Amino acid sequence: MKLGFMFLVMTLMCLSLAQAEEEKTPAPTAEPKAADPFAFADFGWLNGNSRQTTFPLDTKVFTGQFSLDTNYIYDFNHPSDHTLIGSTNAGRTQEFQVEQLGVGGDFHYENIRGRFMTQFGMYSTMTPRNDATPSRGQWDMSDAYRYISEAYGGYHWDVWNGINLDVGIFMSYIGLCSYYNYENWVYQMSYVSANTPWFFNGVRLQTFPSDKLKVEYWFINGWQSYGMANQSPGLGFEILWRPTGDLSFVSNNYYGDDTLNTPGRSRYHTDDSVQVKYYDKPANTISKAAFSFTADAGCENGGGVSCMGGSASSPSQYFLGFMAYNRVWLNKDKFAVTVGGGAISNPGRYLVLLPPIDGATASSGSYYFPETPGTQFHAWDSSVTFDYMPSQFITFRLEFNHRESDVPYFAGSGGITPPGGNVGDPGGAGGTVAPVSGNWQPDLTNGESRINAAMMVRL
């Protein structure tokens, strides 16, 4: 009995000593979480970035998004069929139109991530018609993806300041301006944004070595294409560096074989931008000022064309362009004025948006606007934009835009629709025969001036 009692006492003493020793030893501290990328400053001032800081549709596992873009465009050319040419963000004139209606948002649970956004309105027909790959193979991809602007799922690793792997349809960063007009300084962006891709279908790997740097890699079907134009995927990468809250540098680079059914022709493209906020006095009448400058260069080589030093049998086919904008915010950022423009040179017209003459698409081509090697295209544009932003969730925009080209390109007063509507083969039997009988010709002019009035809602 005594031995049992002594054993119990010794056991309790040992447990007490162990507990005391444990209390003396400090518990290991958890590793501090790395800072979120680019969270060290407010970058809502950037061209192509959302200015939202509050998200009313946010929940624990889903952050909802609703966006609506409506416009009325007055074209001084007064095209009889109300068709606008050479724009990826507006397609009709002298009419009220729902340009884009999007519903969706971001899913986030533990390290699983995903995003889904619909696109209804004009975007649902204007975007797919600029992709030629649905004509190669079966199962109509333009219809399958018509009402989707973004759809991807992925995984996040807590390495460095984050690593993300996403698979699906995601936005292209080439061209600086956003696919969603609410995020841009202008409504009609210049050619280096309007003529470069808006989406990629494939895989992206985002790496953040620090909270000021992103390096992203793309393995995709091609240049704004749901499928492959040939047998090779597109490859690319982005380097985004924001050393301070007032400065942003981005370089996007791409390689692919993107001329439909021409596997021997390769495309190279680089898109590089700098944005600087050079004034920030929130209490003053002029509350903020910034500028952006973008330069693009690229070419195609092989399959009957060459990057440079071309000849009659193998013409040079390249893309050179720039755009620059200066924006001034007023009265605590409730108003803003943006002035800017840009220019391009694109022999071969391989990135020029094809006019939808007689219903032509990127797949059909057009007898009336050939895109054969050696055809020339040079253009420039300018704009003045006034914004009223009473809330971070809405923008009222009024913009004057003027564009010029060295060949007839924009819709004139006669329009680009044949009498009685679209008829026959819009490409005209491979571009060799006029698809409309008689002497009808589309009315194309070298210049266009218009006023864009828009209201954009974002929640």
Side-chain angles (χ1 to χ4, degrees):
M1 188 73 175
K2 289 182 180 179
L3 287 174
F5 179 75
M6 290 176 64
F7 179 76
L8 178 61
V9 171
M10 290 177 67
T11 301
L12 291 173
M13 289 176 65
C14 289
L15 289 172
S16 298
L17 289 170
Q19 183 177 355
E21 191 64 29
E22 186 177 333
E23 290 175 355
K24 288 180 184 178
T25 305
T29 56
E31 284 279 330
K33 185 181 181 299
D36 290 334
F38 310 119
F40 64 91
D42 180 5
F43 289 100
W45 60 272
L46 287 171
N47 190 1
N49 241 34
S50 173
R51 69 178 190 276
Q52 268 186 278
T53 58
T54 303
F55 300 90
L57 305 180
D58 189 27
T59 68
K60 183 179 180 181
V61 297
F62 178 70
T63 302
Q65 180 178 322
F66 169 84
S67 62
L68 178 69
D69 178 354
T70 58
N71 65 41
Y72 183 93
I73 295 174
Y74 183 85
D75 189 340
F76 289 92
N77 288 346
H78 302 291
S80 58
D81 59 358
H82 297 196
T83 304
L84 184 64
I85 292 177
S87 177
T88 49
N89 63 306
R92 303 278 297 179
T93 65
Q94 270 84 348
E95 300 170 349
F96 289 97
Q97 291 291 343
V98 175
E99 199 62 38
Q100 183 260 342
L101 169 64
V103 179
D106 296 280
F107 297 87
H108 39 78
Y109 180 72
E110 295 181 348
N111 284 38
I112 309 300
R113 50 189 265 121
R115 179 168 173 80
F116 172 72
M117 283 298 296
T118 61
Q119 59 174 16
F120 297 101
M122 296 293 293
Y123 270 20
S124 65
T125 59
M126 293 174 60
T127 303
R129 60 88 55 186
N130 290 320
D131 174 20
T133 61
S135 66
R136 182 177 185 265
Q138 304 305 312
W139 317 121
D140 191 345
M141 292 178 292
S142 61
D143 284 346
Y145 291 125
R146 182 173 304 280
Y147 302 106
I148 299 173
S149 62
E150 299 176 78
Y152 62 80
Y155 192 79
H156 169 82
W157 286 272
D158 291 319
V159 178
W160 293 333
N161 290 76
I163 294 178
N164 302 321
L165 179 66
D166 300 316
V167 182
I169 302 175
F170 44 87
M171 291 289 98
S172 157
Y173 304 108
I174 297 176
L176 184 67
C177 288
S178 170
Y179 186 61
Y180 306 111
N181 290 320
Y182 162 89
E183 299 178 351
N184 297 328
W185 292 356
V186 295
Y187 200 76
Q188 174 59 59
M189 64 284 295
S190 191
Y191 299 101
V192 294
S193 272
N195 291 40
T196 48
W198 288 117
F199 69 88
F200 287 146
N201 197 344
V203 181
R204 71 177 179 189
L205 178 67
Q206 298 177 319
T207 67
F208 299 89
S210 78
D211 63 337
K212 299 181 179 180
L213 176 66
K214 177 177 78 168
V215 182
E216 180 170 319
Y217 307 91
W218 313 321
F219 186 86
I220 53 182
N221 290 342
W223 180 277
Q224 185 163 294
S225 58
Y226 298 121
M228 291 185 190
N230 299 290
Q231 296 299 104
S232 302
L235 302 172
F237 67 93
E238 176 189 71
I239 300 174
L240 174 62
W241 182 43
R242 295 174 182 170
T244 72
D246 301 329
L247 193 58
S248 178
F249 298 96
V250 63
S251 177
N252 297 286
N253 301 275
Y254 174 84
Y255 167 81
D257 298 337
D258 298 294
T259 302
L260 189 67
N261 300 321
T262 311
R265 186 178 300 176
S266 299
R267 178 176 301 172
Y268 309 85
H269 199 92
T270 183
D271 167 80
D272 306 285
S273 297
V274 58
Q275 299 193 70
V276 179
K277 182 173 65 172
Y278 58 88
Y279 180 89
D280 195 353
K281 302 285 185 182
N284 292 359
T285 302
I286 297 178
S287 51
K288 195 179 298 174
F291 73 83
S292 70
F293 179 80
T294 301
D296 279 38
C299 67
E300 291 193 327
N301 191 63
V305 302
S306 58
C307 276
M308 57 186 66
S311 61
S313 60
S314 182
S316 294
Q317 195 142 289
Y318 60 85
F319 184 95
L320 292 174
F322 78 92
M323 67 179 188
Y325 294 99
N326 190 79
R327 184 171 175 89
V328 175
W329 289 260
L330 306 163
N331 191 23
K332 299 180 179 179
D333 298 346
K334 287 187 177 180
F335 301 92
V337 178
T338 304
V339 178
I344 64 164
S345 178
N346 187 205
R349 303 177 182 176
Y350 66 92
L351 291 186
V352 176
L353 298 174
L354 182 75
I357 302 166
D358 191 25
T361 67
S363 295
S364 70
S366 176
Y367 167 86
Y368 300 104
F369 192 83
E371 296 177 300
T372 53
T375 52
Q376 296 296 306
F377 189 85
H378 308 276
W380 64 272
D381 73 303
S382 61
S383 63
V384 179
T385 308
F386 176 78
D387 286 345
Y388 170 50
M389 301 166 287
S391 161
Q392 63 178 295
F393 306 114
I394 190 167
T395 299
F396 297 93
R397 178 163 291 171
L398 189 65
E399 176 177 282
F400 174 79
N401 181 264
H402 180 74
R403 300 189 294 173
E404 292 275 353
S405 65
D406 65 338
V407 295
Y409 178 66
F410 307 101
S413 60
I416 60 170
T417 304
N422 297 334
V423 296
D425 175 11
T432 59
V433 179
V436 182
S437 60
N439 297 319
W440 180 83
Q441 290 285 324
D443 185 6
L444 299 176
T445 70
N446 293 69
E448 172 201 79
S449 293
R450 55 186 163 98
I451 295 174
N452 310 312
M455 181 186 73
M456 296 162 284
V457 174
R458 174 80 166 261
L459 292 175

